[in-house]
Amino acid sequence: HAVIFTDSKSIANTIKFNWLDNWKSQGYKGIKDIDLWTQVESLFKLSKAKVEYIPRRLNSEADKFSKLARDGVYGYRSVIHF
């Protein structure tokens, strides 16, 4: 299994505590970016990856790699931005 680290408590908690199922059962009322969240849900269910929160102050490389991925440096643009 893969472990994905994020500095977003919102993303980490949504996946970790399975808030997506609750949102879905309530018709996604009040939830923004539903299309992105459903993509995230599909990816996590398919990969069975885990997510862990890491504070930004402990993740000095995060911005560098996020920008490289966003700019297509790795040959594809599959980064989901929130």
Side-chain angles (χ1 to χ4, degrees):
H1 297 286
V3 178
I4 297 171
F5 293 89
T6 180
D7 62 356
S8 168
K9 285 185 180 180
S10 174
I11 292 171
N13 288 341
T14 297
I15 301 302
K16 211 172 198 179
F17 300 119
N18 207 18
W19 292 349
L20 288 166
D21 285 343
N22 188 36
W23 295 349
K24 192 184 309 183
S25 70
Q26 296 177 11
Y28 295 104
K29 291 178 186 168
I31 303 301
K32 296 180 181 179
D33 301 318
I34 296 167
D35 57 330
L36 296 176
W37 282 113
T38 55
Q39 287 180 39
V40 168
E41 179 184 33
S42 296
L43 291 170
F44 274 88
K45 284 186 177 182
L46 180 66
S47 68
K48 299 186 190 266
K50 290 183 176 184
V51 65
E52 293 294 333
Y53 169 74
I54 183 170
R56 170 64 74 184
R57 64 182 163 71
L58 300 177
N59 194 1
S60 61
E61 297 290 308
D63 285 332
K64 174 184 160 187
F65 289 112
S66 177
K67 288 175 185 173
L68 289 172
R70 181 195 64 219
D71 295 339
V73 171
Y74 299 115
Y76 54 90
R77 294 175 59 118
S78 63
V79 176
I80 298 174
H81 293 281
F82 290 88

